[in-house]
Amino acid sequence: MSVITQSKDAGTTSEPVPSGLPTYAPATRTPRLAIHTRQLTKTYGSRNAVNGANLEVPVGVVAGFVGPNGAGKTTTIRMLLALIQPTSGSVEVLGVSSSDPSGYLPHVGALIEGPAFYPTMSARRNLEILASLGGIDKSRIDPLLKQVGLEGRERDAVKTYSLGMRQRLGIAAALLPNPALLILDEPTNGLDPAGILEIRQLIRQLRDLGITILISSHLLSEVEQIADWIILLNQGQVVYEGWMDALLESRQGALIASAASENELRIAAAVASSHRYESTLEDGRLRIHAPADFARTLNKESMAAGATLTELYIDRTSLEETFFSLTEPAAGASSAAQLNGAKS
């Protein structure tokens, strides 16, 4: 395993692999689940940092692992990587029990809490050192540097790199062992919009090459754009796990309608009311609290009543709104300042 951590001192695919890029081999077994935990618990004193977490992450997805700071995300990741032992419960990674970490860690790459490198050395030299320590073929280095977008800067000292470039170098280091599972803890933390976009594009490329990726983050809006699978964690407990699309579609959003006049919007509101759907006028638009399949009926009956809707679309519930709707009001209020904000 290649685990890159912050220093105080310093799945398979049938798609063709682009020429010049490294390939990624799954573990010796090909499990249905990349990560599987049962009642996973970690207790510190009287506090449960993780409390009975049941995770089932399919092979080949980008899984978003989200929750406020202190929710237990990093503690869970450290148990998955056998860096700490659970108080109770079980862990399987790539079909292998955490009681035998040597059976799966060679197939796992991880970037935990930010990359740590020798700042006066080049990116290439840093990766050469890591490859030597891990007994990894150094021929992987050039393709990885190209893949993460550092080709042409590989001989520059790491201290000259932007934060985004250092993050990409950290991902390259985590990819050295040719992992089937890549675990990234807050990979976009502190990055500017351009850096976030670069990391997002890289993660999608890695998924397309067949790697299962677990991304821990408190930035719900970012995870919503990239994750296929979502795990919502709050106060050490899993409040939801499943497909991102299914979660968002299950939370009723609203229909937004526009018309040339307010009178026509009032007609549309009356149509909605006749079907027992509430609506409100907001900034010259009508927000109707109704399912998506009501749109056709609304348009047809509004037109029959003399109102032409010039715009009609679905305003789906965001991941952030969904998270707060699934957690206790008190917990949601205390978490609001941490989610989608700066990490403390």
Side-chain angles (χ1 to χ4, degrees):
M1 176 183 67
S2 179
V3 179
I4 309 300
T5 60
Q6 188 174 42
S7 170
K8 294 181 180 179
D9 301 320
T12 63
T13 179
S14 60
E15 297 181 12
V17 177
S19 176
L21 295 182
T23 57
Y24 298 91
T28 50
R29 286 190 265 175
T30 307
R32 181 180 65 88
L33 298 175
I35 297 170
H36 188 198
T37 73
R38 277 285 173 261
Q39 293 298 310
L40 185 62
T41 300
K42 182 63 178 180
T43 302
Y44 294 102
S46 60
R47 182 178 70 89
N48 285 332
V50 179
N51 188 9
N54 296 318
L55 304 179
E56 295 186 352
V57 178
V59 169
V61 301
V62 175
F65 191 27
V66 301
N69 297 328
K73 302 186 301 295
T74 299
T75 300
T76 301
I77 287 174
R78 290 183 176 276
M79 287 189 283
L80 295 177
L81 296 174
L83 296 173
I84 58 175
Q85 294 300 310
T87 302
S88 61
S90 64
V91 175
E92 285 190 2
V93 177
L94 300 174
V96 180
S97 170
S98 62
S99 62
D100 180 24
S102 63
Y104 67 84
L105 289 181
H107 306 284
V108 177
L111 177 62
I112 309 297
E113 295 180 348
F117 297 105
Y118 294 106
T120 60
M121 293 184 181
S122 69
R124 163 172 273 285
R125 182 58 183 148
N126 271 281
L127 293 184
E128 287 175 345
I129 292 171
L130 290 172
S132 295
L133 291 173
I136 297 168
D137 189 345
K138 293 180 182 179
S139 67
R140 288 184 53 74
I141 293 175
D142 283 336
L144 284 172
L145 286 168
K146 179 178 181 180
Q147 186 175 14
V148 300
L150 293 177
E151 188 178 36
R153 294 291 307 273
E154 70 273 16
R155 299 191 183 279
D156 295 346
V158 171
K159 66 181 180 180
T160 68
Y161 282 13
S162 67
L163 179 58
M165 292 173 69
R166 290 197 297 273
Q167 287 291 87
R168 283 183 278 144
L169 180 58
I171 293 175
L175 291 171
L176 274 172
N178 197 25
L181 172 65
L182 180 63
I183 298 177
L184 305 176
D185 189 17
E186 301 283 359
T188 60
N189 191 46
L191 299 185
D192 60 20
I196 290 174
L197 179 60
E198 290 172 352
I199 297 299
R200 186 192 306 158
Q201 291 171 338
L202 176 58
I203 289 170
R204 286 172 175 158
Q205 181 188 50
L206 295 173
R207 176 194 58 193
D208 292 343
L209 290 173
I211 305 179
T212 303
I213 305 171
L214 177 69
I215 301 174
S216 168
S217 181
H218 65 294
L219 299 173
L220 275 73
S221 58
E222 177 59 25
V223 171
E224 184 174 355
Q225 295 189 58
I226 196 169
D228 312 303
W229 189 262
I230 188 71
I231 304 161
L232 302 181
L233 195 69
N234 192 49
Q235 297 183 343
Q237 296 183 313
V238 177
V239 296
Y240 178 86
E241 183 187 31
W243 295 107
M244 174 75 80
D245 289 347
L247 173 63
L248 297 180
E249 289 174 5
S250 71
R251 314 303 296 182
Q252 181 172 304
L255 295 175
I256 307 298
S258 298
S261 69
E262 186 173 308
N263 183 58
E264 289 178 294
L265 290 179
R266 294 189 185 282
I267 292 173
V271 170
S273 179
S274 71
H275 289 269
R276 299 185 179 180
Y277 294 125
E278 295 182 356
S279 61
T280 55
L281 273 172
E282 300 176 1
D283 301 322
R285 290 182 172 86
L286 185 68
R287 173 178 287 268
I288 304 154
H289 302 282
D293 58 11
F294 180 62
R296 185 172 183 177
T297 298
L298 176 67
N299 190 47
K300 181 179 178 180
E301 294 188 10
S302 295
M303 185 172 291
T308 299
L309 302 181
T310 57
E311 186 179 37
L312 182 60
Y313 63 90
I314 302 166
D315 183 21
R316 295 198 182 279
T317 304
S318 70
L319 181 59
E320 180 182 3
E321 293 167 330
T322 299
F323 179 87
F324 292 132
S325 73
L326 291 172
T327 55
E328 294 294 330
S334 66
S335 303
Q338 298 179 57
L339 284 162
N340 288 315
K343 184 180 179 183
S344 59

